[in-house]
Amino acid sequence: MHLKEQLYICTIAECGNITKAAEKLFITQPALSLYINNLEKMFGVKLFDRVEKQFIPTAAGKLYVDKAKQMLSLQQEFEASLGDLKNHVDGVLHIGVQLRRAPLLLPTVMARFKMSYPNIRIDVKEGVKTDLEEFLKSNQIQLLLYNAEQPREDLINKILYVDRPLIAIPADHSLNARAVEMPGSHYRYLDLNFCRDEFFILPTARQSLRQYIDKVFLEQHFYTYNKMEIRNFETAIRLVNEGYGLAFNREQYKKSMVDLSNVKYYAFTYGKNEISRVFVGYKKHRELPKYIHYFIQLLSIRGKEIEALDSK
């Protein structure tokens, strides 16, 4: 089963530009333009409005894209389920994961999985939280790896491990003396009110940690104009290491960062907000082949290993 027509239309709608779509599909732009023009002639209706270099779906185009995504999703399920009927089980597993979380979770799990299912191809889509939500909505992924305080109600979820958002401070900063012991916590607590005059290095607005930080700032009536944004967590923490400012990180992310002797970490929330959880989830009422359930089992094992890593 190969739904080339549906894949072409959905890719153009996703990219909004025929040149970018052609690059993603590994075909030439003139060939893709000709294909779409012939398709529109066959249907007798425009699927896209051309506005300068943008391709914007018409009402008919939106209807087509919606149904085509459903067809592509069914194709994924068909390929996966059909694989289980063959003696040598093959198919495709589509996973969505955050950029920074992928190195911590996937290499070990994928290597173990391949030993049992060598003919299963794994398609990994990386991105920030909003990217992953769009991948899930458009049925481009079967499994979503995400962090949240509570599991999503629209998914069937399994918790993998617990993570903690932390504030990173230069080791020689006077703020370190303000941190206090917090009963039941591995980290000392630093009240954000002591940080009002500090320079902050924040994640970008589309990243889940930034959304968590903004929520905490709002709850604690905290705001700062003295800030910059950077997407790469390790770059932000290395800036802290150089004394450039204060930043935020996740406990599990920091375990893979080395040569950062001038960084100290503290909790900046307490109680129920002190931790977040990492989940694997998939859509309800979706039948998954047994090899995907096996992959979820391996993720759970890896999650326990991550929690057991020594904090530094």
Side-chain angles (χ1 to χ4, degrees), residues 32-206:
L32 184 57
S33 294
L34 180 62
Y35 189 93
I36 299 306
N37 289 336
N38 289 338
L39 193 62
E40 289 179 327
K41 287 179 182 178
M42 183 184 74
F43 285 143
V45 64
K46 274 193 172 185
L47 297 176
F48 296 96
D49 285 325
R50 283 73 162 170
V51 182
E52 295 181 349
K53 295 183 178 181
Q54 294 296 309
F55 272 57
I56 303 172
T58 61
K62 290 178 181 178
L63 176 62
Y64 185 102
V65 168
D66 180 60
K67 300 302 180 184
K69 285 180 177 177
Q70 295 178 34
M71 293 173 68
L72 290 169
S73 177
L74 287 172
Q75 180 191 30
Q76 288 181 9
E77 292 183 25
F78 172 75
E79 290 175 350
S81 298
L82 185 62
D84 272 356
L85 297 178
K86 301 178 181 178
N87 292 332
H88 61 287
V89 186
D90 59 12
V92 184
L93 171 54
H94 301 271
I95 304 168
V97 61
Q98 290 165 307
L99 287 164
R100 186 70 202 186
R101 205 170 294 285
L104 194 62
L105 267 172
L106 291 186
T108 301
V109 172
M110 290 172 65
R112 292 169 177 171
F113 180 79
K114 189 174 183 179
M115 294 176 65
S116 297
Y117 291 95
N119 297 307
I120 299 295
R121 181 170 64 85
I122 299 178
D123 172 39
V124 179
K125 292 188 180 296
E126 298 175 299
V128 297
K129 181 180 178 181
T130 50
D131 295 330
L132 300 179
E133 288 176 346
E134 182 56 36
F135 293 152
L136 183 69
K137 182 180 178 181
S138 59
N139 293 308
Q140 295 182 59
I141 57 176
Q142 295 157 302
L143 296 182
L144 172 66
L145 303 176
Y146 70 100
N147 59 270
E149 293 178 54
Q150 299 297 328
R152 290 176 51 145
E153 294 184 356
D154 60 329
L155 302 179
I156 295 175
N157 301 279
K158 184 175 183 62
I159 185 170
L160 300 180
Y161 59 88
V162 171
D163 208 348
R164 290 170 176 81
L166 303 169
I167 188 167
I169 310 289
D172 56 357
H173 199 293
S174 60
L175 280 171
N176 290 282
R178 298 277 195 174
V180 297
E181 296 293 335
M182 190 165 58
S185 176
H186 179 73
Y187 297 92
R188 288 193 291 162
Y189 171 72
L190 181 65
D191 191 330
L192 287 176
N193 285 309
F194 295 130
C195 307
R196 290 189 181 275
D197 296 327
E198 301 298 326
F199 181 77
F200 281 89
I201 307 155
L202 299 176
T204 61
R206 296 177 66 226

Side-chain angles (χ1 to χ4, degrees), residues 2-17:
H2 186 59
L3 304 176
K4 180 174 76 171
E5 174 186 310
Q6 289 74 18
L7 179 62
Y8 282 8
I9 297 298
C10 288
T11 303
I12 294 173
E14 177 187 344
C15 295
N17 177 282

